[in-house]
Amino acid sequence: MGTELLAPLDLAFWHLESEAHPMHLGALAVFDPVPGATPDHILELLRTRAAAIPRLRMCVRDVLLPVGGAAWTVDQDFDVHRHVRHVAVDGGDFMAGATRLAGELMERPLGRGLPPWQMYLIGGAADGPFAVLVKLHHALADGMRAVAIGAGIFDEIAATTVRSGARGRPAVPPRSWLPDPREMAGMALGRIGEVGRALGVGASVVRAGRLALRSTAFTAPSSGTRRLATADLDATALQRIRRAEGGTANDILLAVVAGALRRWMAGRGEAVPDADPRALVPVSRRRPGGAVSGNRLSAYLLDLPVGAADPRERLRTVRAAMDRNKAAGPLKGAGAVAVLADQLHPLAHRFGAPLAANAARMLFDLLVTSVPLPRSALSLGGCPLSALYPMAPLARGQSLAVALSTYGGRVHVGLVADGKALGDLDRLAEAVEEEFAELRDLVTGGRVSAAVS
């Protein structure tokens, strides 16, 4: 049976989890119905295609060496029916019901003894609208890898997989987790260099720390509950803003999040904070042709300029800060946490996870991440994919995570929040759309609404 050691960052995510703080990613994919696409048909299609994805047959097992480590192994008792289920949405507004139900399902941790993923077909009557909620443990994949794994359920990707014969490949290339004796000397020298790098990275993390307490919502204790909300933006308008103002599409979306937080805080009766809330902005370190498994992440710190009243000023501030982050590289600030994880012994992750989890609130207030999706049109059982809302996990002590993806000419925004801390999450989602519309009108010469004072 093939085994594959968990990479250090994967191991960190595995041990960071607790019952009240599940560490799984998610995505809510919404489909337009076509005649004949019954729930039973779609459910069977999901099960067949999920079972054909080798990575989804892997579970985590402890290993003797290295001490404190763990490995991915094939689940010999794999049963896809444990992982893919159908839940109905009662009448009324389908999206509202699906979003509410998805929030409840995202609260539940994944089983530790099984392959760490779940899919739920969310839908009601035959020929009616439906959605698919995908949950993948962060140890199994980062955002880019999660897209690659989850894409196997779509008609277009599944057809390519069958033609290429990929189903016949082994789940994981057999690989021993005991090092070759001839490699020991090189490994020892490498570890000496890693210690030095770890000290430098650790110093960057310490320098980045602060008491990041900015809003009463952000400081609320974790309740273990989850609430979801979604927003939709025009990708064509986003590109017009980028051409007019410069920077990247991600810079614009970060500025929109900053403005939305300002609007939302004002609506709650909160004063503009003296210090801006800090976002953790993950970035992928995955290289084309590199390893396909495991997490390859870094991140940047960004103080979201909610104190600035003008949307264009917020965008300029974000652009300048992100340019500085990129010039400094991934070994600075909170982004070094992910890099630091690659330098630590497995025992450090096993026993240091509680300390690391509690430190998150000292580094950042919320997470804002962009997840790339395929540009081609996708479908499931002939039903076109109309929207895909990514969902990021909440770190311990965090109340809000914002994830964005672009598909079909729209930017789909998925907001995940602690259900008790942010009971008005729908209002924040509305503020995202309002802020984007104001920035668009400013840039394109349309009607401008009054800035939030």
Side-chain angles (χ1 to χ4, degrees):
M1 178 177 64
T3 62
E4 175 192 345
L5 282 177
L6 268 71
L9 187 53
D10 303 344
L11 193 63
F13 284 130
W14 188 248
H15 290 307
L16 279 171
E17 184 171 66
S18 68
E19 190 71 20
H21 301 92
M23 289 299 297
H24 48 254
L25 309 169
L28 184 66
V30 183
F31 297 87
D32 294 330
V34 297
T38 66
D40 287 344
H41 169 67
I42 297 296
L43 184 64
E44 184 59 29
L45 202 58
L46 280 174
R47 286 172 173 164
T48 300
R49 292 177 178 176
I53 300 172
R55 198 71 187 170
L56 297 184
R57 291 176 172 265
M58 308 300 289
C59 57
V60 177
R61 298 282 187 265
D62 290 339
V63 295
L64 294 176
L65 293 174
V67 177
W72 293 106
T73 63
V74 178
D75 182 4
Q76 298 300 316
D77 299 317
F78 177 78
D79 181 357
V80 73
H81 293 81
R82 296 174 177 171
H83 299 269
V84 183
R85 300 171 184 172
H86 178 211
V87 288
V89 174
D90 296 332
D93 186 330
F94 170 74
M95 270 305 298
T99 303
R100 175 191 54 76
L101 184 56
E104 295 173 1
L105 295 171
M106 286 292 286
E107 291 179 7
R108 305 175 187 177
L110 295 163
R112 303 284 281 190
L114 298 172
W117 64 275
Q118 292 281 348
M119 290 185 191
Y120 294 92
L121 171 62
I122 301 176
D127 297 337
F130 70 92
V132 175
L133 174 67
V134 180
K135 293 167 55 177
L136 295 172
H137 199 285
H138 212 332
L140 184 65
D142 54 27
M144 290 185 67
R145 182 59 181 153
V147 170
I149 293 173
I153 70 171
F154 295 113
D155 297 339
E156 297 75 11
I157 309 300
T160 301
T161 300
V162 171
R163 287 196 300 268
S164 67
R167 289 191 183 192
R169 291 200 302 261
V172 174
R175 170 184 169 187
S176 172
W177 40 268
L178 290 173
D180 188 305
R182 291 171 295 181
E183 300 175 358
M184 292 299 292
M187 290 176 63
L189 291 174
R191 292 302 296 176
I192 293 174
E194 288 171 1
V195 170
R197 287 193 296 273
L199 290 174
V201 172
S204 294
V205 174
V206 171
R207 288 195 298 271
R210 68 174 185 179
L211 290 178
L213 307 180
R214 302 292 170 258
S215 164
T216 55
F218 296 142
T219 62
S222 299
S223 68
T225 61
R226 293 292 180 270
R227 182 182 294 269
L228 306 182
T230 63
D232 292 89
L233 313 176
D234 184 350
T236 301
L238 175 67
Q239 292 305 319
R240 287 202 301 268
I241 297 171
R242 186 184 65 81
R243 287 193 294 269
E245 298 294 317
T248 68
N250 200 48
D251 293 341
I252 296 166
L253 293 171
L254 288 166
V256 167
V257 171
L261 289 173
R262 179 183 176 89
R263 290 172 181 271
W264 173 70
M265 290 177 181
R268 291 174 131 237
E270 294 187 25
V272 175
D274 294 332
D276 292 323
R278 176 176 283 182
L280 184 73
V281 184
V283 293
S284 175
R285 293 191 293 142
R286 196 176 297 281
R287 296 178 179 178
V292 296
S293 60
N295 283 270
R296 296 291 298 164
L297 289 173
S298 181
Y300 294 126
L301 279 177
L302 175 68
D303 291 341
L304 295 171
V306 302
D310 179 64
R312 289 175 119 163
E313 181 184 350
R314 287 195 287 268
L315 177 53
R316 287 191 293 268
T317 301
V318 166
R319 282 186 56 195
M322 289 301 290
D323 286 346
R324 289 194 297 271
N325 277 330
K326 294 168 188 175
L331 299 184
K332 303 293 183 183
V337 172
V339 180
L340 180 61
D342 288 334
Q343 315 295 326
L344 299 180
H345 190 277
L347 276 176
H349 294 301
R350 186 176 291 269
F351 295 110
L355 179 62
N358 288 319
R361 72 187 69 189
M362 297 183 63
L363 290 169
F364 61 96
D365 296 298
L366 70 159
L367 181 143
V368 184
T369 184
S370 293
V371 180
L373 295 180
R375 295 187 178 183
S376 58
L378 299 171
S379 60
L380 176 61
C383 301
L385 175 69
S386 60
L388 193 148
Y389 301 98
M391 301 170 192
L394 295 180
R396 186 172 305 186
Q398 306 295 311
S399 300
L400 177 65
V402 182
L404 313 99
S405 64
T406 302
Y407 175 80
R410 306 291 293 174
V411 179
H412 304 293
V413 185
L415 299 99
V416 178
D418 183 283
K420 292 187 177 179
L422 273 72
D424 57 347
L425 187 65
D426 288 342
R427 176 61 197 124
L428 179 56
E430 293 171 359
V432 170
E433 295 180 348
E434 293 165 359
E435 178 63 23
F436 181 80
E438 178 167 357
L439 181 59
R440 177 202 61 206
D441 290 345
L442 275 173
V443 171
T444 61
R447 183 176 62 82
V448 180
S449 59
V452 178
S453 60

